[in-house]
Amino acid sequence: MPIPIVNSIASWFLKKRIHQMELFLKYPNEVQNELLLSLVDKAKRTETGKTYGFSSIKSYHDFAKSVPVTNYETLEPTINRCRNGESNILWPSTIKMFAKSSGTTSAKSKFIPVSQESLEDCHYAASKDLLCMYLNNNPDAKLFTGKSLRLGGSQEIYKDKGTLFGDLSALLIDNMPFWASYSSTPGSEVSLMSNWDEKMHAIVKETIKENVTSLAGVPSWMLVLINNILEETEKTNLKEVWPDLEVYFHGGVNFEPYRNQYKQLIDDKDFNYYEIYNASEGFFAAQDLNNSKDLLLMLNYGIFYEFIPMETYGTTQEKIIPLNEVKLGKNYAIVITSNAGLWRYKIGDTVRFTSLSPYRIRVTGRTKHHINAFGEELIIENAEEAIKKTAKQTNSSIVEYSAAPIFMAGKDKGAHEWIIEFKKQPKHLEEFRQLLDKNLQDINSDYEAKRHNNMTLELLKLNVAQPNLFHEWLRQNNKLGGQHKIPRLSNKRDYLEELLAINRNL
Protein backbone atom coordinates (compact mmCIF):
# COMPACT_ATOMS: atom_id res chain seq x y z
CA MET A 1 0.00 0.00 0.00
CA PRO A 2 1.46 3.43 -0.92
CA ILE A 3 2.71 5.51 2.00
CA PRO A 4 0.35 8.50 1.39
CA ILE A 5 -2.65 6.15 1.62
CA VAL A 6 -1.26 4.57 4.81
CA ASN A 7 -0.81 8.06 6.26
CA SER A 8 -4.39 9.03 5.43
CA ILE A 9 -5.91 5.83 6.84
CA ALA A 10 -3.85 6.03 10.04
CA SER A 11 -4.72 9.70 10.54
CA TRP A 12 -8.43 8.98 10.02
CA PHE A 13 -8.38 6.08 12.49
CA LEU A 14 -6.54 8.00 15.20
CA LYS A 15 -8.68 11.12 14.88
CA LYS A 16 -11.76 8.97 15.58
CA ARG A 17 -10.43 8.47 19.13
CA ILE A 18 -11.16 12.12 19.86
CA HIS A 19 -14.82 11.13 20.21
CA GLN A 20 -13.87 8.44 22.74
CA MET A 21 -12.01 11.04 24.80
CA GLU A 22 -14.95 13.45 24.86
CA LEU A 23 -16.76 11.41 27.51
CA PHE A 24 -14.17 11.93 30.25
CA LEU A 25 -13.60 15.52 29.14
CA LYS A 26 -17.30 16.30 29.65
CA TYR A 27 -17.98 14.06 32.64
CA PRO A 28 -14.61 13.52 34.37
CA ASN A 29 -15.80 12.75 37.90
CA GLU A 30 -18.60 10.47 36.75
CA VAL A 31 -16.13 8.55 34.56
CA GLN A 32 -13.71 8.20 37.47
CA ASN A 33 -16.38 6.96 39.91
CA GLU A 34 -17.73 4.44 37.41
CA LEU A 35 -14.18 3.25 36.76
CA LEU A 36 -13.49 2.76 40.47
CA LEU A 37 -16.58 0.61 40.99
CA SER A 38 -15.70 -1.40 37.88
CA LEU A 39 -12.19 -2.10 39.19
CA VAL A 40 -13.52 -3.08 42.61
CA ASP A 41 -16.16 -5.37 41.12
CA LYS A 42 -13.65 -7.09 38.85
CA ALA A 43 -11.26 -7.78 41.74
CA LYS A 44 -13.81 -8.75 44.40
CA ARG A 45 -12.85 -12.43 44.31
CA THR A 46 -9.10 -11.81 44.55
CA GLU A 47 -7.27 -12.23 47.83
CA THR A 48 -7.09 -8.45 48.18
CA GLY A 49 -10.78 -8.09 47.32
CA LYS A 50 -11.80 -10.59 50.00
CA THR A 51 -9.48 -9.03 52.59
CA TYR A 52 -11.00 -5.56 52.19
CA GLY A 53 -14.59 -6.57 51.45
CA PHE A 54 -14.79 -5.37 47.86
CA SER A 55 -18.20 -7.08 47.49
CA SER A 56 -19.77 -4.58 49.89
CA ILE A 57 -18.16 -1.46 48.38
CA LYS A 58 -20.81 0.63 46.60
CA SER A 59 -19.26 4.11 46.62
CA TYR A 60 -16.01 6.04 46.88
CA HIS A 61 -16.77 6.64 50.55
CA ASP A 62 -16.96 2.86 51.13
CA PHE A 63 -13.72 2.36 49.23
CA ALA A 64 -11.81 5.05 51.12
CA LYS A 65 -13.04 3.67 54.45
CA SER A 66 -12.25 0.03 53.65
CA VAL A 67 -8.95 0.07 51.75
CA PRO A 68 -5.72 1.41 53.30
CA VAL A 69 -3.23 3.58 51.43
CA THR A 70 -0.04 1.70 50.59
CA ASN A 71 3.42 2.10 49.06
CA TYR A 72 5.99 -0.24 47.56
CA GLU A 73 7.65 -1.11 50.87
CA THR A 74 4.41 -2.46 52.33
CA LEU A 75 3.30 -4.07 49.07
CA GLU A 76 6.63 -5.70 48.20
CA PRO A 77 5.99 -9.09 49.95
CA THR A 78 2.70 -9.44 48.05
CA ILE A 79 4.34 -8.51 44.74
CA ASN A 80 7.06 -11.10 45.41
CA ARG A 81 4.36 -13.75 45.76
CA CYS A 82 2.98 -12.71 42.37
CA ARG A 83 6.48 -12.88 40.87
CA ASN A 84 6.80 -16.40 42.26
CA GLY A 85 3.80 -17.48 40.22
CA GLU A 86 0.85 -17.07 42.60
CA SER A 87 -2.27 -15.69 40.94
CA ASN A 88 -5.52 -13.96 41.89
CA ILE A 89 -3.87 -11.98 44.69
CA LEU A 90 -3.91 -8.35 43.54
CA TRP A 91 -5.76 -8.74 40.23
CA PRO A 92 -7.96 -11.52 38.76
CA SER A 93 -6.11 -11.96 35.47
CA THR A 94 -2.68 -13.56 35.66
CA ILE A 95 0.12 -11.00 35.90
CA LYS A 96 3.15 -12.28 34.02
CA MET A 97 5.10 -9.03 33.52
CA PHE A 98 6.82 -6.73 36.01
CA ALA A 99 8.39 -3.39 35.16
CA LYS A 100 11.72 -3.00 36.92
CA SER A 101 12.48 0.49 38.19
CA SER A 102 14.73 2.17 40.73
CA GLY A 103 14.34 0.96 44.25
CA THR A 104 13.65 1.99 47.80
CA THR A 105 15.58 2.03 51.05
CA SER A 106 15.12 -1.71 51.47
CA ALA A 107 15.45 -2.84 47.86
CA LYS A 108 17.74 -1.99 44.95
CA SER A 109 14.91 -2.33 42.44
CA LYS A 110 11.14 -2.20 42.43
CA PHE A 111 9.08 -4.65 40.37
CA ILE A 112 5.77 -3.05 39.37
CA PRO A 113 3.04 -5.42 38.13
CA VAL A 114 1.94 -4.93 34.52
CA SER A 115 -1.30 -6.72 33.65
CA GLN A 116 -2.53 -7.39 30.14
CA GLU A 117 -5.28 -4.84 30.79
CA SER A 118 -2.83 -2.12 31.80
CA LEU A 119 -0.66 -2.91 28.80
CA GLU A 120 -3.50 -2.59 26.31
CA ASP A 121 -5.99 -0.22 27.97
CA CYS A 122 -3.42 2.12 29.46
CA HIS A 123 0.00 2.18 27.83
CA TYR A 124 -0.97 1.34 24.24
CA ALA A 125 -4.23 3.28 24.41
CA ALA A 126 -2.19 6.28 25.54
CA SER A 127 0.12 5.96 22.55
CA LYS A 128 -2.86 6.12 20.21
CA ASP A 129 -4.44 9.03 22.09
CA LEU A 130 -1.18 10.98 22.09
CA LEU A 131 -0.98 10.68 18.31
CA CYS A 132 -4.69 11.47 18.10
CA MET A 133 -4.29 14.75 20.01
CA TYR A 134 -1.23 15.72 18.02
CA LEU A 135 -2.96 15.08 14.69
CA ASN A 136 -6.05 16.93 15.85
CA ASN A 137 -3.92 19.98 16.67
CA ASN A 138 -1.82 19.68 13.51
CA PRO A 139 -4.08 18.67 10.63
CA ASP A 140 -1.28 19.03 8.08
CA ALA A 141 1.01 16.62 9.97
CA LYS A 142 2.65 13.90 7.91
CA LEU A 143 3.75 11.55 10.66
CA PHE A 144 2.87 8.40 8.74
CA THR A 145 4.77 9.33 5.61
CA GLY A 146 7.76 8.13 7.65
CA LYS A 147 8.58 6.42 10.93
CA SER A 148 8.86 7.22 14.62
CA LEU A 149 12.30 6.78 16.14
CA ARG A 150 11.64 5.36 19.60
CA LEU A 151 14.47 5.11 22.09
CA GLY A 152 13.80 2.88 25.07
CA GLY A 153 15.88 1.53 27.90
CA SER A 154 18.89 -0.67 27.37
CA GLN A 155 17.89 -3.57 29.59
CA GLU A 156 16.75 -6.81 28.08
CA ILE A 157 13.81 -8.84 29.36
CA TYR A 158 14.50 -11.54 31.95
CA LYS A 159 12.49 -14.66 32.75
CA ASP A 160 12.01 -15.82 36.31
CA LYS A 161 9.65 -18.53 37.62
CA GLY A 162 7.23 -18.15 34.75
CA THR A 163 7.15 -14.34 34.85
CA LEU A 164 9.02 -11.65 32.95
CA PHE A 165 10.70 -8.50 34.20
CA GLY A 166 12.62 -5.68 32.62
CA ASP A 167 12.59 -1.99 31.82
CA LEU A 168 9.04 -0.81 31.03
CA SER A 169 10.08 0.35 27.56
CA ALA A 170 11.49 -3.11 26.84
CA LEU A 171 8.21 -4.75 27.88
CA LEU A 172 6.25 -2.33 25.70
CA ILE A 173 8.50 -2.92 22.68
CA ASP A 174 8.43 -6.69 23.14
CA ASN A 175 4.61 -6.70 23.18
CA MET A 176 4.09 -3.90 20.66
CA PRO A 177 0.97 -4.20 18.45
CA PHE A 178 1.55 -4.50 14.71
CA TRP A 179 0.41 -0.95 13.92
CA ALA A 180 3.05 0.51 16.22
CA SER A 181 5.78 -1.85 15.08
CA TYR A 182 5.08 -1.08 11.41
CA SER A 183 5.54 2.65 11.92
CA SER A 184 8.56 2.55 14.24
CA THR A 185 12.33 2.35 13.99
CA PRO A 186 14.65 0.74 14.99
CA GLY A 187 13.30 -2.80 14.90
CA SER A 188 12.69 -4.78 18.08
CA GLU A 189 15.93 -6.74 17.73
CA VAL A 190 18.01 -3.57 17.96
CA SER A 191 15.72 -1.87 20.48
CA LEU A 192 16.11 -4.73 22.96
CA MET A 193 19.91 -5.00 22.74
CA SER A 194 21.41 -4.96 26.25
CA ASN A 195 24.86 -3.51 25.45
CA TRP A 196 24.37 0.26 25.22
CA ASP A 197 27.42 1.03 23.07
CA GLU A 198 26.57 -1.67 20.55
CA LYS A 199 22.92 -0.66 20.64
CA MET A 200 23.73 3.00 20.00
CA HIS A 201 25.88 2.10 17.00
CA ALA A 202 23.16 -0.20 15.64
CA ILE A 203 20.42 2.43 16.08
CA VAL A 204 22.46 5.04 14.23
CA LYS A 205 23.21 2.68 11.34
CA GLU A 206 19.58 1.57 11.02
CA THR A 207 17.75 4.86 11.49
CA ILE A 208 19.80 7.18 9.26
CA LYS A 209 18.50 5.16 6.31
CA GLU A 210 14.87 5.80 7.31
CA ASN A 211 12.58 8.76 6.79
CA VAL A 212 12.09 9.66 10.46
CA THR A 213 9.17 12.02 11.12
CA SER A 214 9.01 11.87 14.93
CA LEU A 215 11.17 11.12 17.96
CA ALA A 216 10.08 9.48 21.22
CA GLY A 217 12.14 8.93 24.35
CA VAL A 218 13.81 10.38 27.44
CA PRO A 219 15.57 13.72 26.69
CA SER A 220 18.97 12.77 28.14
CA TRP A 221 19.22 9.52 26.18
CA MET A 222 17.81 11.04 23.01
CA LEU A 223 20.39 13.83 23.18
CA VAL A 224 23.20 11.26 23.19
CA LEU A 225 21.66 9.54 20.15
CA ILE A 226 21.19 12.81 18.24
CA ASN A 227 24.83 13.78 18.77
CA ASN A 228 25.92 10.36 17.53
CA ILE A 229 23.71 10.66 14.45
CA LEU A 230 25.05 14.13 13.63
CA GLU A 231 28.62 12.91 14.09
CA GLU A 232 28.02 9.89 11.85
CA THR A 233 26.36 11.95 9.11
CA GLU A 234 28.68 14.97 9.53
CA LYS A 235 25.65 17.26 9.82
CA THR A 236 24.98 20.08 12.29
CA ASN A 237 21.17 20.13 12.12
CA LEU A 238 19.00 17.05 12.53
CA LYS A 239 16.64 18.38 9.85
CA GLU A 240 19.47 17.88 7.37
CA VAL A 241 19.35 14.17 8.19
CA TRP A 242 15.56 13.87 8.33
CA PRO A 243 13.88 16.79 6.47
CA ASP A 244 10.38 15.59 7.41
CA LEU A 245 11.06 15.41 11.16
CA GLU A 246 8.27 17.39 12.87
CA VAL A 247 7.77 16.42 16.54
CA TYR A 248 9.54 15.05 19.61
CA PHE A 249 7.43 13.20 22.21
CA HIS A 250 9.40 13.34 25.45
CA GLY A 251 8.98 12.34 29.09
CA GLY A 252 10.70 10.74 32.05
CA VAL A 253 12.76 13.73 33.23
CA ASN A 254 12.40 17.50 33.28
CA PHE A 255 12.87 18.79 29.72
CA GLU A 256 13.70 22.41 30.52
CA PRO A 257 17.47 21.93 31.06
CA TYR A 258 17.66 20.36 27.61
CA ARG A 259 15.31 22.63 25.65
CA ASN A 260 17.93 25.06 24.32
CA GLN A 261 20.24 22.25 23.23
CA TYR A 262 17.41 20.63 21.27
CA LYS A 263 16.55 23.93 19.61
CA GLN A 264 20.18 24.21 18.48
CA LEU A 265 20.32 20.65 17.15
CA ILE A 266 16.87 20.81 15.53
CA ASP A 267 16.96 24.25 13.93
CA ASP A 268 13.31 24.60 12.96
CA LYS A 269 11.01 27.20 14.55
CA ASP A 270 7.94 25.14 13.56
CA PHE A 271 9.20 21.94 15.23
CA ASN A 272 6.83 20.59 17.91
CA TYR A 273 7.62 19.28 21.39
CA TYR A 274 4.99 17.17 23.16
CA GLU A 275 5.44 16.08 26.77
CA ILE A 276 4.07 12.88 28.27
CA TYR A 277 3.83 11.71 31.87
CA ASN A 278 4.12 7.99 32.26
CA ALA A 279 5.80 5.59 34.67
CA SER A 280 6.06 1.90 35.41
CA GLU A 281 2.72 2.18 37.24
CA GLY A 282 0.86 3.60 34.26
CA PHE A 283 0.40 6.37 31.72
CA PHE A 284 -1.11 9.34 33.51
CA ALA A 285 -1.13 12.49 31.39
CA ALA A 286 -0.10 14.01 28.08
CA GLN A 287 0.24 17.42 26.49
CA ASP A 288 -2.94 17.99 24.50
CA LEU A 289 -2.19 21.43 23.02
CA ASN A 290 0.64 22.83 20.90
CA ASN A 291 3.23 24.92 22.73
CA SER A 292 1.87 24.11 26.17
CA LYS A 293 3.52 22.98 29.40
CA ASP A 294 0.26 21.64 30.83
CA LEU A 295 -0.67 17.97 30.63
CA LEU A 296 -4.18 16.58 30.28
CA LEU A 297 -4.92 14.03 33.01
CA MET A 298 -6.18 10.91 31.22
CA LEU A 299 -9.14 9.50 33.11
CA ASN A 300 -10.17 6.43 31.12
CA TYR A 301 -7.06 4.25 31.21
CA GLY A 302 -8.09 2.00 34.09
CA ILE A 303 -6.53 4.29 36.72
CA PHE A 304 -8.53 5.89 39.53
CA TYR A 305 -6.87 8.95 41.07
CA GLU A 306 -6.71 10.28 44.59
CA PHE A 307 -4.53 13.07 45.95
CA ILE A 308 -2.81 14.05 49.18
CA PRO A 309 -2.26 17.77 49.80
CA MET A 310 1.47 18.11 50.43
CA GLU A 311 0.94 20.33 53.47
CA THR A 312 -0.44 17.27 55.29
CA TYR A 313 1.65 14.58 53.56
CA GLY A 314 3.35 12.24 56.03
CA THR A 315 1.70 13.86 59.06
CA THR A 316 -0.98 12.58 61.41
CA GLN A 317 -3.35 15.00 59.68
CA GLU A 318 -2.69 13.50 56.24
CA LYS A 319 -5.82 13.89 54.13
CA ILE A 320 -6.68 11.98 50.96
CA ILE A 321 -9.15 13.47 48.50
CA PRO A 322 -10.74 12.39 45.19
CA LEU A 323 -10.31 14.25 41.92
CA ASN A 324 -13.42 16.41 42.35
CA GLU A 325 -11.96 18.05 45.50
CA VAL A 326 -8.60 19.24 44.11
CA LYS A 327 -7.84 22.98 43.92
CA LEU A 328 -5.82 25.02 41.46
CA GLY A 329 -2.23 25.83 42.31
CA LYS A 330 -1.83 23.41 45.24
CA ASN A 331 0.82 20.71 45.35
CA TYR A 332 -0.49 17.13 45.66
CA ALA A 333 1.02 13.68 46.01
CA ILE A 334 -0.64 11.18 43.66
CA VAL A 335 -2.35 7.99 44.86
CA ILE A 336 -3.56 5.52 42.22
CA THR A 337 -5.79 2.47 42.00
CA SER A 338 -5.11 0.63 38.77
CA ASN A 339 -6.09 -2.23 36.47
CA ALA A 340 -2.77 -3.88 37.36
CA GLY A 341 -3.81 -4.49 40.98
CA LEU A 342 -2.32 -1.44 42.67
CA TRP A 343 -4.83 -0.34 45.31
CA ARG A 344 -4.51 3.18 46.77
CA TYR A 345 -0.81 3.15 45.91
CA LYS A 346 1.47 6.14 46.46
CA ILE A 347 3.59 6.50 43.32
CA GLY A 348 5.86 9.12 44.90
CA ASP A 349 5.18 11.95 42.42
CA THR A 350 3.73 15.37 43.09
CA VAL A 351 1.62 17.48 40.72
CA ARG A 352 -0.07 20.87 40.59
CA PHE A 353 -3.38 21.45 38.80
CA THR A 354 -3.38 24.27 36.26
CA SER A 355 -6.95 23.66 35.04
CA LEU A 356 -10.02 21.95 36.47
CA SER A 357 -12.08 21.87 33.28
CA PRO A 358 -10.57 19.83 31.81
CA TYR A 359 -8.18 18.56 34.47
CA ARG A 360 -4.67 19.58 33.49
CA ILE A 361 -1.52 19.25 35.59
CA ARG A 362 2.16 19.97 35.77
CA VAL A 363 4.51 17.50 37.39
CA THR A 364 6.23 19.29 40.28
CA GLY A 365 8.59 16.62 41.58
CA ARG A 366 8.76 13.78 44.03
CA THR A 367 7.46 13.43 47.54
CA LYS A 368 11.09 13.13 48.61
CA HIS A 369 14.22 15.00 47.57
CA HIS A 370 15.75 13.38 44.51
CA ILE A 371 17.84 13.79 41.37
CA ASN A 372 16.17 12.60 38.19
CA ALA A 373 17.82 14.62 35.45
CA PHE A 374 18.68 11.53 33.39
CA GLY A 375 16.11 8.96 34.52
CA GLU A 376 18.29 7.79 37.42
CA GLU A 377 15.70 8.43 40.14
CA LEU A 378 18.27 8.96 42.89
CA ILE A 379 16.27 9.45 46.08
CA ILE A 380 17.50 10.70 49.44
CA GLU A 381 17.48 7.22 50.99
CA ASN A 382 19.88 6.03 48.26
CA ALA A 383 22.24 8.94 48.90
CA GLU A 384 22.16 8.54 52.68
CA GLU A 385 22.91 4.84 52.52
CA ALA A 386 25.70 5.24 49.94
CA ILE A 387 27.46 8.07 51.75
CA LYS A 388 27.21 6.30 55.11
CA LYS A 389 28.76 3.17 53.62
CA THR A 390 31.50 5.14 51.87
CA ALA A 391 32.43 7.03 55.04
CA LYS A 392 32.75 3.75 56.91
CA GLN A 393 34.90 2.22 54.17
CA THR A 394 37.27 5.21 54.13
CA ASN A 395 37.35 5.85 57.89
CA SER A 396 35.93 9.33 57.41
CA SER A 397 33.00 11.25 58.86
CA ILE A 398 30.68 13.78 57.25
CA VAL A 399 29.06 16.94 58.58
CA GLU A 400 26.81 17.75 55.64
CA TYR A 401 26.49 17.37 51.89
CA SER A 402 24.49 18.41 48.84
CA ALA A 403 24.34 17.13 45.28
CA ALA A 404 22.88 18.21 41.94
CA PRO A 405 23.16 17.24 38.28
CA ILE A 406 25.71 18.45 35.75
CA PHE A 407 23.53 18.76 32.66
CA MET A 408 24.66 17.58 29.24
CA ALA A 409 26.23 20.20 27.00
CA GLY A 410 26.93 19.40 23.39
CA LYS A 411 28.69 16.04 23.26
CA ASP A 412 29.57 16.13 26.97
CA LYS A 413 27.63 13.63 29.03
CA GLY A 414 25.96 14.40 32.31
CA ALA A 415 27.11 13.65 35.85
CA HIS A 416 26.28 14.29 39.46
CA GLU A 417 28.23 16.94 41.37
CA TRP A 418 28.64 16.66 45.13
CA ILE A 419 29.92 19.06 47.75
CA ILE A 420 30.75 17.45 51.09
CA GLU A 421 31.86 18.97 54.39
CA PHE A 422 33.96 16.43 56.25
CA LYS A 423 34.42 16.30 60.00
CA LYS A 424 37.20 13.81 59.35
CA GLN A 425 38.46 13.87 55.78
CA PRO A 426 39.34 10.59 54.06
CA LYS A 427 43.04 9.91 53.49
CA HIS A 428 42.49 9.56 49.74
CA LEU A 429 39.73 11.72 48.21
CA GLU A 430 39.86 9.92 44.87
CA GLU A 431 39.21 6.60 46.62
CA PHE A 432 36.23 8.19 48.39
CA ARG A 433 34.85 9.49 45.07
CA GLN A 434 35.18 6.12 43.34
CA LEU A 435 33.62 4.24 46.26
CA LEU A 436 30.72 6.66 46.57
CA ASP A 437 29.95 6.23 42.88
CA LYS A 438 30.16 2.43 43.18
CA ASN A 439 27.94 2.36 46.26
CA LEU A 440 25.31 4.49 44.51
CA GLN A 441 25.31 2.00 41.65
CA ASP A 442 24.98 -0.93 44.06
CA ILE A 443 21.98 0.68 45.74
CA ASN A 444 20.13 2.16 42.73
CA SER A 445 19.71 0.08 39.58
CA ASP A 446 18.69 3.05 37.41
CA TYR A 447 21.80 5.02 38.41
CA GLU A 448 23.82 1.88 37.68
CA ALA A 449 22.26 1.60 34.21
CA LYS A 450 23.07 5.22 33.36
CA ARG A 451 26.64 4.83 34.63
CA HIS A 452 27.29 1.58 32.73
CA ASN A 453 30.21 2.27 30.40
CA ASN A 454 29.60 5.99 31.02
CA MET A 455 26.45 5.51 28.93
CA THR A 456 24.66 8.66 30.07
CA LEU A 457 26.42 9.64 33.29
CA GLU A 458 30.13 10.16 33.88
CA LEU A 459 31.82 9.49 37.23
CA LEU A 460 30.50 11.90 39.84
CA LYS A 461 32.41 15.14 40.61
CA LEU A 462 33.44 15.75 44.22
CA ASN A 463 34.03 19.12 45.89
CA VAL A 464 35.36 19.42 49.45
CA ALA A 465 33.58 22.08 51.46
CA GLN A 466 35.38 24.54 53.69
CA PRO A 467 34.56 24.19 57.41
CA ASN A 468 31.14 25.64 58.31
CA LEU A 469 30.10 26.09 54.67
CA PHE A 470 26.57 24.79 55.19
CA HIS A 471 26.12 26.80 58.37
CA GLU A 472 27.15 29.90 56.44
CA TRP A 473 24.71 29.06 53.62
CA LEU A 474 21.88 28.76 56.14
CA ARG A 475 22.92 32.05 57.73
CA GLN A 476 23.03 33.93 54.44
CA ASN A 477 19.60 32.59 53.52
CA ASN A 478 18.15 33.45 56.93
CA LYS A 479 17.46 29.78 57.65
CA LEU A 480 19.38 29.16 60.85
CA GLY A 481 17.42 27.25 63.48
CA GLY A 482 13.87 25.98 63.30
CA GLN A 483 13.03 23.26 60.80
CA HIS A 484 15.26 24.51 57.98
CA LYS A 485 17.38 21.82 56.39
CA ILE A 486 20.16 21.59 53.85
CA PRO A 487 18.82 20.62 50.38
CA ARG A 488 20.81 17.42 50.09
CA LEU A 489 19.51 16.43 46.65
CA SER A 490 18.11 18.77 44.06
CA ASN A 491 17.09 18.33 40.44
CA LYS A 492 18.32 21.88 39.75
CA ARG A 493 21.73 23.49 40.32
CA ASP A 494 20.52 26.60 42.17
CA TYR A 495 21.44 25.41 45.67
CA LEU A 496 24.72 23.85 44.58
CA GLU A 497 25.85 26.96 42.73
CA GLU A 498 25.15 29.06 45.82
CA LEU A 499 27.14 26.65 47.97
CA LEU A 500 30.07 26.58 45.54
CA ALA A 501 30.14 30.39 45.38
CA ILE A 502 30.20 30.72 49.17
CA ASN A 503 32.81 27.96 49.39
CA ARG A 504 35.17 29.89 47.12
CA ASN A 505 35.00 32.92 49.40
CA LEU A 506 35.50 31.17 52.75
Side-chain angles (χ1 to χ4, degrees):
M1 186 180 295
I3 287 179
I5 297 177
V6 172
N7 187 67
S8 298
I9 293 174
S11 298
W12 173 83
F13 172 75
L14 288 168
K15 286 178 181 178
K16 284 177 66 67
R17 289 189 63 87
I18 281 287
H19 302 297
Q20 299 174 32
M21 295 169 60
E22 287 177 347
L23 183 64
F24 81 76
L25 289 171
K26 290 182 178 179
Y27 308 103
N29 300 305
E30 292 83 350
V31 166
Q32 277 280 281
N33 284 328
E34 184 177 331
L35 171 62
L36 172 63
L37 295 179
S38 174
L39 293 172
V40 167
D41 182 67
K42 187 164 186 177
K44 63 186 178 184
R45 294 184 180 86
T46 64
E47 182 178 299
T48 300
K50 292 176 182 178
T51 299
Y52 298 114
F54 281 11
S55 295
S56 61
I57 291 176
K58 305 300 179 184
S59 67
Y60 170 71
H61 177 74
D62 294 341
F63 178 73
K65 187 171 63 174
S66 303
V67 184
V69 174
T70 189
N71 56 25
Y72 190 82
E73 286 85 353
T74 56
L75 197 60
E76 184 179 15
T78 303
I79 290 178
N80 286 339
R81 289 174 57 197
C82 297
R83 291 188 63 212
N84 287 329
E86 292 188 53
S87 59
N88 207 38
I89 300 174
L90 292 168
W91 190 246
S93 62
T94 302
I95 297 177
K96 295 183 178 181
M97 293 175 287
F98 296 84
K100 181 182 176 184
S101 65
S102 59
T104 63
T105 307
S106 59
K108 179 177 177 179
S109 298
K110 293 189 294 185
F111 295 88
I112 305 300
V114 179
S115 67
Q116 194 62 35
E117 291 91 337
S118 66
L119 195 70
E120 295 177 3
D121 300 335
C122 182
H123 293 289
Y124 290 142
S127 298
K128 288 183 280 190
D129 285 347
L130 179 64
L131 293 174
C132 165
M133 290 185 289
Y134 177 76
L135 291 169
N136 193 60
N137 294 332
N138 301 276
D140 295 327
K142 298 179 180 178
L143 285 184
F144 295 99
T145 61
K147 293 191 174 183
S148 173
L149 194 166
R150 47 166 170 53
L151 183 63
S154 61
Q155 297 177 352
E156 55 189 329
I157 297 174
Y158 300 91
K159 295 182 178 180
D160 182 37
K161 299 178 181 177
T163 62
L164 305 173
F165 70 89
D167 184 89
L168 175 65
S169 61
L171 295 174
L172 295 178
I173 290 170
D174 192 51
N175 293 274
M176 187 176 293
F178 79 93
W179 60 266
S181 180
Y182 178 82
S183 60
S184 299
T185 187
S188 295
E189 184 178 348
V190 171
S191 295
L192 295 174
M193 290 174 66
S194 58
N195 184 293
W196 176 258
D197 293 326
E198 293 178 3
K199 176 179 177 178
M200 180 60 66
H201 180 74
I203 292 175
V204 171
K205 290 296 185 184
E206 182 172 334
T207 59
I208 59 175
K209 303 172 185 176
E210 300 281 2
N211 176 29
V212 173
T213 55
S214 67
L215 307 174
V218 176
S220 52
W221 290 27
M222 187 63 73
L223 194 60
V224 174
L225 175 60
I226 289 173
N227 280 311
N228 274 273
I229 287 170
L230 292 176
E231 183 176 354
E232 176 71 20
T233 58
E234 298 183 343
K235 306 292 185 184
T236 58
N237 180 6
L238 204 58
K239 292 282 286 188
E240 296 179 80
V241 183
W242 299 310
D244 295 329
L245 184 67
E246 62 178 83
V247 60
Y248 173 30
F249 300 105
H250 61 86
V253 298
N254 184 8
F255 185 62
E256 290 309 308
Y258 303 99
R259 189 178 294 275
N260 287 336
Q261 293 184 66
Y262 273 88
K263 286 185 176 180
Q264 291 172 7
L265 298 175
I266 308 173
D267 188 13
D268 180 359
K269 62 181 178 62
D270 296 321
F271 189 79
N272 286 303
Y273 296 90
Y274 264 60
E275 183 177 355
I276 63 173
Y277 172 31
N278 68 334
S280 298
E281 294 87 352
F283 195 111
F284 308 127
Q287 181 180 330
D288 66 319
L289 300 171
N290 287 341
N291 304 312
S292 174
K293 294 183 179 180
D294 299 336
L295 309 180
L296 179 68
L297 191 64
M298 309 303 285
L299 304 178
N300 62 344
Y301 289 168
I303 298 174
F304 178 79
Y305 293 97
E306 296 174 272
F307 302 89
I308 304 174
M310 283 305 291
E311 62 261 31
T312 67
Y313 186 88
T315 71
T316 55
Q317 290 79 40
E318 183 172 282
K319 183 182 180 182
I320 303 166
I321 61 175
L323 181 63
N324 65 343
E325 293 184 22
V326 300
K327 307 294 183 185
L328 289 175
K330 295 189 69 173
N331 210 29
Y332 295 100
I334 302 180
V335 177
I336 67 167
T337 290
S338 79
N339 53 3
L342 296 175
W343 301 97
R344 306 197 84 192
Y345 178 88
K346 294 180 180 180
I347 64 173
D349 288 345
T350 59
V351 299
R352 173 170 52 86
F353 281 85
T354 57
S355 168
L356 301 183
S357 183
Y359 287 102
R360 290 196 181 97
I361 61 172
R362 291 190 186 182
V363 181
T364 54
R366 299 282 291 175
T367 53
K368 302 175 182 178
H369 290 298
H370 74 296
I371 301 177
N372 188 33
F374 311 97
E376 67 273 47
E377 288 282 1
L378 184 68
I379 58 176
I380 192 68
E381 286 89 343
N382 299 156
E384 296 280 13
E385 185 177 347
I387 208 161
K388 179 180 178 181
K389 183 177 180 180
T390 307
K392 183 177 181 180
Q393 291 171 324
T394 57
N395 192 30
S396 59
S397 58
I398 292 161
V399 176
E400 194 55 90
Y401 69 89
S402 188
I406 300 173
F407 293 107
M408 295 176 175
K411 295 182 180 180
D412 294 334
K413 296 177 182 177
H416 287 184
E417 183 169 7
W418 292 64
I419 186 163
I420 301 175
E421 182 179 341
F422 292 96
K423 182 177 181 180
K424 179 183 179 182
Q425 192 165 305
K427 186 175 181 180
H428 303 289
L429 285 171
E430 181 57 24
E431 179 190 28
F432 184 97
R433 182 169 78 121
Q434 296 279 351
L435 282 171
L436 177 57
D437 190 81
K438 180 181 181 300
N439 289 332
L440 288 168
Q441 292 186 55
D442 290 341
I443 292 165
N444 183 307
S445 59
D446 283 344
Y447 182 85
E448 179 184 43
K450 307 304 180 294
R451 282 285 296 118
H452 180 68
N453 290 334
N454 296 323
M455 177 176 63
T456 304
L457 290 173
E458 300 278 8
L459 178 67
L460 64 86
K461 181 178 180 180
L462 176 63
N463 301 282
V464 176
Q466 297 293 329
N468 299 314
L469 167 66
F470 291 93
H471 182 275
E472 179 62 16
W473 181 86
L474 289 169
R475 186 191 69 78
Q476 291 190 20
N477 285 276
N478 196 31
K479 292 185 176 183
L480 288 175
Q483 297 299 311
H484 298 297
K485 298 178 181 178
I486 299 297
R488 289 185 165 178
L489 297 182
S490 177
N491 223 25
K492 301 185 294 182
R493 289 187 60 84
D494 303 30
Y495 297 126
L496 183 64
E497 292 294 350
E498 290 180 16
L499 289 163
L500 291 171
I502 296 171
N503 199 51
R504 288 191 291 268
N505 294 322
L506 285 177

